[in-house]
Each structure stands twice: as C-alpha cells, then as structure tokens.
Amino acid sequence: MKPAAFGYDRPADWPAALALLAAGARPAAGGQSLGPMLNLRLAQPESLADLRHLPGYAGVAVADGIVRIGAGTTHATIEDGAVPGRLGAILAGVARRIAYRPVRNRGTMGGSLAHADPAADWVSVLPAFAGPLGGHAVALGPAGERRIPLDGFMLGLFETALAPGELLRAVELPVLPEATRWGHWKFCRKTGEFSKATACLLAVPGAAPRAVLAALDAPPLVLPDATALLADPEGESERLVAGLDLADPWRAAIARTALRRAAAGAAA
C-alpha cells in the first residue's frame, strides 16, 4: 500500500516546530515506525513536520556530570561511540542489537521513546537510569522545557507523559563511574525482530542496583532496588514474574530467563 496524501514541512527552529505541532502536524524524524504506519494507512496525518534539521536535535553534550543526548540522535551514532565513557559503552551495546544497521542509521533514540512500543529497546532500558541516578526525558512545549523521569515516561501502550503540544527534545543521563556493572538480555527469535522479553540491571557503586523487565505488552516493570535479584536471581525472578499478568507460560519462562541473565551479566 501507499500512504494517503499529506503535507510536508521542515521547520528551521523549535518555535516553528511547536507551531506546526499546534496546527496538527505529526512530528517525524527517522521514520522507522511512522513510515510503515503511513504505508499501511494506520496513520493518516494531514501533514508531517520533519524535525531532523532542528538545531541541537541530534548530538551529544556532557556538562556537570550529565550526558545530554539529542532526541534525534540515531541508534548508529550511539553504536559508533558518540557517548563517552562507561555510559557510552553500555548504550553502544544496546544500540548495536537494535534491528539491522540500515534501521539504526535512521532510527532515533527520541523516536523510539516517543513511539512507546513496549518492545522497543530504549523504552526497555532507559528507566534503569532514572530515580536517584537522575535520568530524564526533556520535553519542550509552549511554556519551555520540562524534565520527565525516565521511569515514568511511558504510561501505557503507545502512550507517554508528553503533554499535548510538547516535543521530546533530549534525554539526559548520568555520567557513570568505570566500576559500574551492567547486565542486559533480550529474546528475539530472529535478528531484527521485536523482543518478547527484555531485562537489564544497572549497579552503580554507592547506589542501590536498579533493574527493568520490559517487552511484555505493558509499560516496563522498574525495580528501584534490585539487590534481591542480584543475590538470588533464580528465586527472585520466579517471585517477580509470578506477580505479572502473563497468560502464556512460555512468555513467563522467557521473562524469568531475561531477569536471570541480566543479573548474571551484572554480577560478572
């Protein structure tokens, strides 16, 4: 199929982008999710606002212990080491397992978050960097910027905490010490497929370890203190998954495996 007819605008600055959004335009960047939706006519916007050329929409900056990643930064850019230090190594490991390189060349971190597919990679791991670690999504609206904790950004299936008239401008994550431990595992039956269960565990020295279980057709399950999971991966994963509403036994088994393997990776 081909998309229904739509208009195209390329705003030169953020006020122009917000004005287009207020007028009903659909924001677009990499288009890796929106493009198929247009072709299938699941989305039929009157016009698209191409955000790719906005100043500061892509790129990485570090200041005062915070790494600011523009929402338009591609998965490939992160995979190739644009984010420095231990944080960069962790994010690069996540990025290189997203679909295929052609998808990573165009897909963006902000697009993945704002689309809020529960199986998406950044939706599944970035909540681990929230809480006391201070990870936020930076939204821009008519009243200016506001910061949304990453563990509260996704509210439901394809639903986020962005208010009407707001655009996702950036993601802010903490600079991590080199001693930070990380475990991440996701299950895909074949390369490029969306995950059926994803888990990660982040252990920063001096802070409680945080874990996330995601890709289960619901917002991520965030564990603000995953000490018990590190201490007893088998028993704690059984307990956590038993409390979820998973109808299929195979899905529960994969979720338990994801938690155990993420804990093992962090422990190593």
Side-chain angles (χ1 to χ4, degrees):
M1 293 182 66
K2 297 297 182 184
F6 58 84
Y8 173 83
D9 290 287
R10 197 173 99 172
D13 54 34
W14 288 95
L18 292 176
L20 288 169
L21 189 67
R26 180 79 173 260
Q32 296 305 288
S33 296
L34 181 57
M37 292 172 66
L38 291 171
N39 284 339
L40 293 171
R41 301 201 176 191
L42 296 174
Q44 298 187 35
E46 291 187 4
S47 64
L48 295 182
D50 187 345
L51 308 181
R52 291 175 298 165
H53 308 280
L54 292 174
Y57 187 55
V60 178
V62 184
D64 300 323
I66 297 295
V67 179
R68 183 172 169 121
I69 304 171
T73 304
T74 65
H75 312 314
T77 298
I78 297 170
E79 177 186 10
D80 292 343
V83 180
R86 180 66 177 133
L87 175 64
I90 290 171
L91 298 185
V94 174
R96 72 174 56 99
R97 295 193 63 201
I98 298 175
Y100 307 95
R101 181 68 185 202
V103 172
R104 299 195 293 271
N105 284 337
R106 292 191 59 87
T108 64
M109 175 180 276
S112 175
L113 278 178
H115 186 53
D117 187 314
D121 291 82
W122 298 121
V123 166
S124 300
V125 303
L126 289 181
F129 298 86
L133 299 179
H136 289 86
V138 182
L140 179 69
E145 283 191 353
R146 71 180 180 104
R147 283 161 174 76
I148 306 167
L150 283 166
D151 52 3
F153 183 78
M154 182 179 175
L155 302 180
L157 300 182
F158 304 102
E159 180 185 6
T160 73
L162 289 172
E166 285 187 329
L167 291 169
L168 181 59
R169 189 173 193 176
V171 171
E172 293 182 342
L173 302 173
V175 172
L176 298 177
E178 288 300 318
T180 297
R181 292 179 292 154
W182 169 256
H184 172 244
W185 189 83
K186 70 175 185 176
F187 175 77
C188 300
R189 289 178 294 183
K190 61 181 180 179
T191 301
E193 186 184 62
F194 277 110
S195 173
K196 301 302 181 186
T198 302
C200 65
L201 195 152
L202 179 68
V204 178
R210 292 174 58 85
V212 181
L213 176 62
L216 298 176
D217 302 328
L221 172 66
V222 181
L223 306 179
D225 187 345
T227 302
L229 181 61
L230 271 176
D232 180 17
E234 187 75 31
E236 188 65 4
S237 63
E238 289 280 352
R239 185 188 71 81
L240 290 167
V241 173
L244 301 176
D245 184 18
L246 298 177
D248 297 317
W250 67 267
R251 201 73 180 274
I254 294 171
R256 291 192 296 268
T257 299
L259 285 168
R260 290 197 303 268
R261 295 199 179 188

